[in-house]
Each structure stands twice: as structure tokens, then as C-alpha cells.
Amino acid sequence: MTTTLLRGASWAVVWDGSAKRHVYARDVDVLLSGGRVAAIAPASEAPPPHGARAIDARQMLVMPGLVNVHTHPTSEPSYRGIREDHGVPEQQMSGLFERSQAFRLDREGNEAAMRLAYAELMGAGVTAVVDLSSPFEGWMDVMRQSGLRVWVGPGFASARWGMSAPQSVEWRWDEARGRAGFQRAQAVMDEAESDASGLLRGIVYPAQIDTVEEGLLRDAAALAAEKGRPFTTHIAQAVVEVREMVRRHGTTPIQWAASLGLLSPRAILGHAIFIDEHPSIGWHTARDLGLMAEHGVAVAHCPSPFARYGEHLKNFGRYRSRGVRMAMGTDVAPHNIIEEMRLAILLARNAGRDLHAADTAMVFHAATVGGADALGRSDLGRLQVGAAADVTLVDLAHPQMAPPRDPLRSLVFHAADRAVRHVFVAGKQVLADGKPTMLDVSEAAGILAQSQAKMLRDSGLNDYAGRGGDQIAPLSLPLS
């Protein structure tokens, strides 16, 4: 494995193990060797170790790679120009159920979307990602080519969503299909964990709390415990879902999941926004936050998709102060976790009418250590000796980073991905001067455009009212 010396970094975000927090360091050398952080020391003019490559980091911020615990890279880029303003008023503005029924992307589109999304991920400083997708041929090939550290989440479900009118969502059950998907997912995760790169791991992913039957949910959680894998599902992500779960079980999704034994420190809850205390739910209990904290779950916080239709988690600071572990994800294109961090701060402050509801340090912790700990990896999300050499370098000379009085604030509130320059995973450079070093994205945009056009054209075959894509999601301006 290569040895790289990041020489004379003007700023670094290093981990203070005794205080269990990130702190700034100034003018340091960071040595990456054997896939690990080998040394962090005051900047020196001494020659680099024999055979080491040296990178001038004097105008750089060196920080731990970001950890993204919730993404759908194989589908979300296909919704560019579609999803941003799409929603159904009768479904509390969510467009989730309508899109899921009407729009079907082909395999070529899935792969092209994934290539573009992975380039976005590393371009925003991500080194570890949870990919929650329906498996297809070539899925893991793109992961290997990217060089990123990936938790492979092959989804399975016992039901599909359907619609017959805007005000109704139906659950169309096929338990045999769900079981077959679970068996396939196990084979895919086993294959991932035998990969020679050592960068692929499995995460057990029953798709949604409302689309997976009880026995299969229990078996999925048992598999995660047996194999030592993390477990994730979408839960409390829509008012429609919560109302359906109350109809079925007489309680909220979070409380029902707790009764099944699904809540544990290995569980990452996708979104968990519409809890019993949320004003859009108004349930008669106030137990959900306490249950999440008591069982040690992590919440994958992805603010953008919900903010687009007028909803948000209420709020980041409150969840955190109640003892809920917070991590960050990108449930939507662009896969820009830095922008999600900024939005998380702003929404929390507005929801709580409190400047201190969230700040830069809180969301950066969630996007690094919070995600790493949720995945059971205490060697990720931290810049310290012995940690994995998953490192991101930010250009302090970028105009939107200047003046770099507080580099993280400049990154989160101003520059975002535009200032991310280099990314290393296990000591290997996967992004150089803002471009992927191994992942080929040269034809992906054209392929995705063709696949999206086909998806829009064919939506009438799947939509409950036979509408084309331009009817479901009209252009933002009329054509002249």
C-alpha cells in the first residue's frame, strides 16, 4: 500500500479521544501508511519517509472523510428536473408514493445514475457510504471502481405501494416475493464481504417499515445480529405511512418497531421525522424520542427531500439533547452531504426558534463520528493515529473559503463541495483535483438522459391514471 505525507496542513480537524470531540490543529503533517493514519505531528521540513509521496497541504484543511449513512444512488439522479417541485397535496405534499408507482428506470439508467452519484459523493468529501438500492447486474462493479468504502444494502419488501386516486395509497402484498428478496439480499451481502478490496460490507435493509411483513422484519433483525451487520429501514418518513401503521397496529411505527425488537444500537432509522410529537401527526403519546434514545438507535437525517415539500424533523438539536444518536445522509440528488449539513442547521434553528438548536460542530460530528459509530466503525470519521486513512482535503485558497478564520464554517455555510480538492480512502486517492481517479463518468450523463426520457415516456403504463411524466411533473415554466 502507498505511503502519503500530507505536508504542512494549515488546518486539520483531529479527534480528541479523551474529550470525545473534534478539535482544530494548526500547521501539521499527516502521514498515511498501510491504509491507516500513521502519524500526526507538527509541520516539519524533514524529508518524507523513503518511498512516500508528499502532497503540499499548506493551503489545505485536512479532515476526516465524511460518512453518509443513507443514499439511493441508483435512482435519485434520474429525478433531476422531476422531483424538486413534485408532491401530492392529498398525501401531505409528499410525492413518494406517486413517483414510486409511476416511474421505473431501466438497468442502464440505474448504473449511469450510480456513477454520477458516486462522483458527487466523493466530490463532497464522502469516503464511506451506505448504498440502499435494488440489486442489478454490475451494481458492485461500480462500487469497486469508485474506491469508496461502501455498505451494500440490497433492499427487499413484501409489498409494493399502489394508487387508484390521489387521496389513497394501497399496499399490494406478495410475501413470497419478499422472502425471495431476502434470500437474494443475503447472497449479495455475503459476496460483498468476501470482496478482495476489503472495502465492501453488508447492511441488512428491509425497505420500509410499512412494506415488510412482521415475520420478515424479525428475521432481518436476527440476521443483522447474527452477522454483526448494521440494520436499516425507512420509518416515520411519511404521514401516510404513520396513519396506515396506526390503522394496522393502533400505535406509531416507532413504538411498533420497539415491540418487535427492531430498535437496537445496530439500527439506523431512515428519517424518523414523523414521530408521535410531530405536529403533522399529533398522536396522543410522547414516547417515540425516548424509545429511540433508550434503545441506542441512530437516525439517518436527510433534510432536503422533506424540506422541498414543507416538512422537517423537529428538530436536530432536540433529538440530540434527548439522547438520540444522529447521523447524516443524502436521500436525494444532489448527493451533497455538506449542503445537507447546512440545511440541517437552518431547519433546526427555525423549528426551535433557537440559534443553539444546531451548529457547525453538531452536524459535522453527525456526518463523521455519528455515522461511523452507527455503522460500528470506531476507526472511521476521525483523524487520529490508528484510524483508517479516509481523509478529505479542502482548498483554503478557494474564494468561498476566504478568509479561512473558521474553515468548517466556511465549508458548511459557503463553499461546500466546490472547495473539496482531494479524497483518500484507506490511503488510496480516489479524488484528485476534484475529479475521480478511478470511476469513469464520461458517458453516464448521456445514458441517464436517455433512460430518464424513456422513464417519463413509459410512466403512463404504470401510473394509476395513465398519465405521462410531463403531466405528473410539469416543467417549471410553460413552453413558448
Side-chain angles (χ1 to χ4, degrees):
M1 303 182 85
T2 59
T3 297
T4 301
L5 176 64
L6 308 177
R7 165 159 273 169
S10 298
W11 291 82
V13 177
V14 300
W15 183 246
D16 182 339
S18 59
K20 297 184 178 179
R21 67 180 184 184
H22 296 293
V23 296
Y24 278 135
R26 298 295 309 271
D27 302 317
V28 296
D29 291 340
V30 179
L31 183 66
L32 312 179
S33 184
R36 296 280 162 183
V37 177
I40 303 172
S44 168
E45 294 300 322
H50 178 70
R53 171 195 179 200
I55 293 179
D56 185 355
R58 285 175 295 179
Q59 290 294 314
M60 297 283 181
L61 163 70
V62 178
M63 67 181 198
L66 303 177
V67 180
N68 187 324
V69 299
H70 191 105
T71 69
H72 304 292
T74 65
S75 58
E76 288 308 315
S78 71
Y79 292 133
R80 287 192 182 122
I82 296 173
R83 180 173 179 174
E84 295 86 355
D85 296 323
H86 175 245
V88 180
E90 295 87 350
Q91 295 172 17
Q92 287 70 46
M93 305 300 167
S94 172
L96 172 65
F97 306 99
E98 186 171 73
R99 285 194 305 275
S100 296
Q101 180 177 11
F103 297 131
R104 313 278 173 86
L105 193 65
D106 59 23
R107 198 214 71 82
E108 291 77 16
N110 289 143
E111 181 175 330
M114 183 181 182
R115 289 182 181 277
L116 292 172
Y118 272 52
E120 285 180 351
L121 286 160
M122 65 180 78
V126 167
T127 54
V129 60
V130 174
D131 185 333
L132 306 174
S133 299
S134 296
F136 60 88
E137 185 178 352
W139 185 35
M140 280 192 280
D141 291 339
V142 179
M143 296 176 189
R144 295 183 187 100
Q145 292 165 22
S146 75
L148 289 175
R149 198 180 296 276
V150 184
W151 271 258
V152 182
F156 53 93
S158 313
R160 290 181 181 271
W161 293 314
M163 290 173 57
S164 57
Q167 65 271 21
S168 64
V169 175
E170 304 162 359
W171 283 259
R172 298 169 183 172
W173 293 91
D174 184 343
E175 294 189 8
R177 177 178 170 273
R179 284 284 165 185
F182 182 44
Q183 294 299 318
R184 182 186 183 194
Q186 292 181 62
V188 170
M189 288 186 286
D190 288 343
E191 179 186 350
E193 291 174 355
S194 65
D195 190 75
S197 71
L199 296 176
L200 306 185
R201 291 289 182 268
I203 181 169
V204 181
Y205 170 45
Q208 295 93 15
I209 196 70
D210 54 305
T211 64
V212 181
E213 54 92 6
E214 178 178 334
L216 189 51
L217 283 169
R218 291 182 186 274
D219 289 348
L223 177 70
E226 175 192 344
K227 297 289 188 177
R229 292 171 179 151
F231 170 97
T232 193
T233 192
H234 293 86
I235 187 169
Q237 69 168 334
V239 175
V240 171
E241 166 220 322
V242 175
R243 289 178 177 168
E244 173 64 13
M245 297 301 282
V246 168
R247 186 194 68 79
R248 291 181 199 172
H249 307 293
T251 191
T252 69
I254 298 292
Q255 292 170 35
W256 189 66
S259 74
L260 299 187
L262 304 184
L263 305 187
S264 76
R266 75 177 64 256
I268 302 173
L269 304 187
H271 311 311
I273 287 177
F274 295 104
I275 60 173
D276 51 7
E277 299 175 64
H278 194 285
S280 294
I281 300 301
W283 191 237
H284 63 85
T285 64
R287 296 180 53 216
D288 287 1
L289 268 180
L291 283 170
M292 289 190 283
E294 174 189 339
H295 291 282
V297 305
V299 169
H301 184 34
C302 313
S304 280
F306 302 95
R308 288 181 183 183
Y309 61 84
E311 287 284 10
H312 55 281
L313 181 143
K314 300 186 185 294
N315 63 60
F316 184 100
R318 183 161 165 268
Y319 277 51
R320 187 173 175 271
S321 67
R322 291 281 297 273
V324 178
R325 298 159 58 209
M326 301 300 291
M328 297 294 299
T330 52
D331 188 56
V332 69
H335 289 81
N336 191 326
I337 198 169
I338 304 173
E339 292 186 343
E340 295 294 325
M341 291 158 66
R342 180 199 311 145
L343 186 57
I345 295 170
L346 300 180
L347 290 175
R349 290 176 178 177
N350 278 270
R353 299 183 63 81
D354 178 7
L355 178 65
H356 303 293
D359 60 28
T360 306
M362 289 182 195
V363 297
F364 186 77
H365 184 100
T368 51
V369 173
D373 288 352
L375 294 168
R377 291 293 298 266
S378 60
D379 61 332
L380 302 181
R382 302 156 169 85
L383 189 61
Q384 65 178 2
V385 173
D390 293 11
V391 177
T392 293
L393 275 68
V394 176
D395 182 8
L396 295 177
H398 190 283
Q400 288 178 290
M401 289 295 294
R405 173 186 178 269
D406 189 322
L408 282 183
R409 283 185 184 148
S410 293
L411 178 67
V412 171
F413 281 95
H414 303 279
D417 58 310
R418 293 177 288 273
V420 173
R421 191 62 59 227
H422 307 301
V423 174
F424 293 81
V425 175
K428 187 172 185 179
Q429 191 163 9
V430 299
L431 189 83
D433 294 319
K435 296 181 180 179
T437 61
M438 298 178 288
L439 184 66
D440 182 6
V441 296
S442 58
E443 298 181 358
I447 294 170
L448 182 59
Q450 293 176 3
S451 293
Q452 186 197 64
K454 181 176 183 293
M455 178 181 79
L456 292 167
R457 185 177 65 246
D458 292 347
S459 66
L461 303 174
N462 307 311
D463 179 63
Y464 71 95
R467 297 169 299 169
D470 289 339
Q471 288 179 276
I472 296 170
L475 297 178
S476 57
L477 299 176
L479 283 170
S480 171

